[in-house]
Amino acid sequence: MIAVLLTTAILMLIITNRHFNEQTGRYHEDILKRKENAVLASIDYLLDTYPGKVTKDNVYQILEGKILEISDINKLNIIIYDLRGNVMLSTQIEEPRHPVLPQNILDSLAKNEYYNETLDSKDENRSYYASYNYIKDVSEFENFAIINLPYETNDVFLQEDMFTLMGSYGVAFLFILLLGAIMIYVVSKNTFNKLSSFADRIKETQVISNNRPIQYEKNDEIGILVDAYNEMLIKLKEQSEMLAEVERQETWREFARQVAHEIKNPLTPMKLMIQSYMRKFDSEDEVLVERTNRTSNILMQQIETIESIANAFSDFAKMPSRQDEMIDMVQVIQNTLEIFSIKHITFTFSNPNIQTMFDKQYLNRIVTNIVKNSFQAIPPNRTPKVSVDINLKDDMIFITIEDNGKGISEEEKSQIFKPRFTTKSSGSGIGLSMVKKIIEDYNGKITFESFEDLGTKFIIQLPYTNEHKTI
């Protein structure tokens, strides 16, 4: 409020100063106009009473003897130019401001038959005005010469009046400002004390507690807040009881969903792996032993994952503790991808042997979750294409997984790593959040690029270390 009052006072002073200056300018322009009319009338009378014919060639001789008299009567200097802008006569002691008229003045005279100018003076207390007109024969519409009437004023007295007026305004506004500040202080302090007390009660409010309503008798703005607060307490008590019951039920539902999701991740590819093995089983196959061993190893790896998940959820849904060991990341990822449809997956690597300290089960979970999501994001009418690449660069391991699915919408991009967020009707929404947490536990980073109806690419960055560490 003080700022509003102060701003108003400053704006009023600025507007008053501007208006005063405009009025002063119009006042001097009016004076110059009256003097101009008087001078032109005197010159017209002089030319009308001349016994001979007035032409642009003899106008100089006609005006020369009378120009000083006309100047003295009107207390105004007079400068006469010929039609080309050269000085013919002047009553000024000093040289005219324009010894030769500029082309813009001549053009304005030719178009409008007059020209006015206002110039800044070197002395801030003085102003300079000037008018330009034709001396002409009105009856025959013939121009004889150009007359310039310079008018210089002294604004000292007008400025003193302005400063007096501004001072009076300043005193009045200062009084209003002080009075307003006192009133604002009293009102705001009283209001602040009430609001402070009200705020203290709000800070004491708890969701599950026997909150006491505020007793307030006055019917003012604070009273509206107090009534709303008391109504809120009643609703808060009812909703807190409902919320406690819902949370108990939701906790068990969430726990069950998480267990089902984590167990289902390895079970689904295991089922597909066994079905594929059974379809291709041939007792006379030369590589039967090798294929059986590879399938067994992959199944054992998935069974170990299920076992670690079961152990973790037995401790209330905790992730398995990290068991870092020196692993070949290319080999682990390759084994993980074999549970999917290999013909739709392209796996590339910059180095066939990338040894680093990492938990094999964690890496398996990361790749399984993202690749599985990639296949689920591909529409049924589109041939699936999933590419997986691992690259070692600048002591960082880059794993990229790209698909040709439907992509992620702009609205979903900010939610994709949040727990319980899912775009699938059957998903629990903890897969990608779990992946993000694993990667961040290794001081890594996961980002993605996605374009709707074109596909999504996940980029995983993990620090590379080839030294054994104790975890």
Side-chain angles (χ1 to χ4, degrees):
M1 289 299 296
I2 293 175
V4 169
L5 290 175
L6 187 60
T7 303
T8 303
I10 294 173
L11 289 176
M12 287 297 295
L13 292 176
I14 293 173
I15 293 171
T16 301
N17 178 61
R18 183 174 179 180
H19 179 72
F20 195 91
N21 290 332
E22 290 176 354
Q23 288 293 95
T24 300
R26 282 197 289 268
Y27 169 74
H28 289 308
E29 289 173 0
D30 290 342
I31 292 177
L32 177 59
K33 189 65 178 176
R34 289 196 298 270
K35 289 180 177 289
E36 178 185 29
N37 291 335
V39 171
L40 290 176
S42 299
I43 292 176
D44 288 342
Y45 176 76
L46 179 61
L47 297 180
D48 289 341
T49 57
Y50 182 70
K53 180 175 176 57
V54 180
T55 66
K56 59 184 177 181
D57 297 323
N58 65 2
V59 70
Y60 173 82
Q61 289 80 12
I62 298 171
L63 296 176
E64 185 178 17
K66 293 292 185 178
I67 197 72
L68 287 174
E69 181 181 345
I70 296 173
S71 176
D72 289 339
I73 292 173
N74 292 280
K75 301 188 182 305
L76 189 68
N77 283 317
I78 301 173
I79 303 173
I80 306 296
Y81 295 88
D82 62 21
L83 295 177
R84 288 177 302 211
N86 300 310
V87 176
M88 296 171 54
L89 294 171
S90 176
T91 61
Q92 283 188 169
I93 298 175
E94 66 273 10
E95 183 180 354
R97 185 179 292 268
H98 299 303
V100 178
L101 289 181
Q103 188 61 41
N104 67 307
I105 296 179
L106 294 175
D107 293 341
S108 180
L109 284 169
K111 183 178 180 180
N112 303 312
E113 297 191 348
Y114 70 91
Y115 181 79
N116 292 331
E117 68 176 349
T118 303
L119 300 174
D120 295 330
S121 176
K122 294 180 180 179
D123 187 352
E124 63 180 8
N125 295 324
R126 302 183 70 82
S127 300
Y128 177 84
Y129 303 87
S131 68
Y132 298 84
N133 276 281
Y134 282 122
I135 299 174
K136 63 173 65 178
D137 184 348
V138 179
S139 61
E140 296 184 5
F141 300 101
E142 182 181 2
N143 297 328
F144 298 137
I146 299 172
I147 181 171
N148 168 221
L149 302 176
Y151 174 67
E152 197 166 2
T153 66
N154 190 332
D155 297 331
V156 173
F157 296 106
L158 292 174
Q159 288 184 356
E160 288 179 355
D161 291 343
M162 183 185 69
F163 290 146
T164 301
L165 178 62
M166 298 282 281
S168 300
Y169 275 152
V171 172
F173 278 126
L174 181 61
F175 173 76
I176 293 173
L177 187 63
L178 291 175
L179 180 62
I182 294 172
M183 295 177 63
I184 291 167
Y185 174 77
V186 173
V187 173
S188 61
K189 185 173 179 60
N190 183 41
T191 304
F192 177 77
N193 290 336
K194 294 178 182 178
L195 288 175
S196 180
S197 176
F198 183 56
D200 291 338
R201 289 297 301 274
I202 292 178
K203 291 177 182 177
E204 297 172 359
T205 304
Q206 299 180 2
V207 176
I208 304 176
S209 178
N210 188 19
N211 300 299
R212 293 182 296 105
I214 298 176
Q215 301 298 326
Y216 190 82
E217 304 297 333
K218 294 182 179 180
N219 186 19
D220 55 12
E221 292 81 357
I222 306 297
I224 297 175
L225 290 175
V226 171
D227 292 341
Y229 173 78
N230 291 337
E231 292 178 7
M232 181 197 71
L233 291 183
I234 297 174
K235 295 179 180 179
L236 186 63
K237 183 178 181 181
E238 297 173 354
Q239 294 176 358
S240 62
E241 295 174 353
M242 295 174 57
L243 181 62
E245 179 62 26
V246 170
E247 285 182 346
R248 283 192 294 269
Q249 297 178 6
E250 185 62 26
T251 298
W252 287 108
R253 290 195 189 99
E254 180 64 22
F255 184 79
R257 281 197 297 266
Q258 289 182 359
V259 172
H261 176 85
E262 296 300 327
I263 297 298
K264 189 178 179 181
N265 267 345
L267 282 179
T268 300
M270 286 173 64
K271 180 180 178 181
L272 295 175
M273 190 71 182
I274 293 173
Q275 290 175 343
S276 175
Y277 178 79
M278 291 176 65
R279 282 197 305 270
K280 298 177 181 180
F281 180 79
D282 183 1
S283 59
E284 298 180 358
D285 190 352
E286 296 179 355
V287 292
L288 177 62
V289 174
E290 179 184 350
R291 183 178 299 173
T292 302
N293 290 336
R294 185 172 66 252
T295 303
S296 300
N297 290 335
I298 295 173
L299 291 176
M300 287 298 297
Q301 184 175 312
Q302 297 299 324
I303 291 171
E304 289 175 3
T305 301
I306 295 175
E307 184 180 6
S308 64
I309 293 172
N311 292 334
F313 274 111
S314 67
D315 194 16
F316 199 69
K318 290 183 180 178
M319 289 289 296
S321 59
R322 279 174 55 177
Q323 300 294 330
D324 288 357
E325 57 181 320
M326 188 65 68
I327 65 170
D328 184 345
M329 297 196 78
V330 175
Q331 185 63 44
V332 173
I333 294 176
Q334 197 166 26
N335 289 340
T336 303
L337 294 177
E338 288 188 7
I339 65 176
F340 296 98
S341 181
I342 297 298
K343 64 179 180 179
H344 298 307
I345 297 179
T346 302
F347 180 47
T348 57
F349 41 84
S350 62
N351 189 323
N353 185 21
I354 301 178
Q355 300 282 337
T356 189
M357 292 295 295
F358 209 87
D359 187 307
K360 182 169 61 176
Q361 304 302 327
Y362 276 23
L363 181 59
N364 179 277
R365 291 161 71 87
I366 292 172
V367 175
T368 301
N369 267 283
I370 299 180
V371 173
K372 181 181 177 182
N373 286 345
S374 296
F375 275 108
Q376 291 176 344
I378 300 173
N381 60 350
R382 186 178 302 175
T383 302
K385 291 182 181 179
V386 177
S387 62
V388 182
D389 177 77
I390 179 169
N391 182 27
L392 178 60
K393 182 179 179 182
D394 298 333
D395 290 332
M396 291 293 293
I397 298 173
F398 293 85
I399 302 174
T400 60
I401 301 175
E402 186 174 4
D403 62 61
N404 64 335
K406 62 183 180 180
I408 303 171
S409 67
E410 292 297 327
E411 295 78 11
E412 296 170 348
K413 285 183 178 180
S414 60
Q415 308 286 326
I416 199 69
F417 290 117
K418 291 186 177 180
R420 299 178 61 188
F421 174 80
T422 179
T423 58
K424 298 172 291 187
S425 59
S426 60
S428 64
I430 64 173
L432 284 178
S433 63
M434 176 194 64
V435 167
K436 186 172 186 290
K437 184 178 185 305
I438 292 175
I439 294 171
E440 290 177 347
D441 284 346
Y442 280 93
N443 297 321
K445 183 171 67 172
I446 179 171
T447 58
F448 67 91
E449 300 171 0
S450 184
F451 301 94
E452 289 193 56
D453 203 40
L454 294 177
T456 303
K457 178 167 70 173
F458 283 90
I459 303 102
I460 301 168
Q461 301 179 44
L462 295 169
Y464 171 70
T465 175
N466 57 0
E467 297 179 358
H468 289 274
K469 295 183 179 179
T470 303
I471 304 298

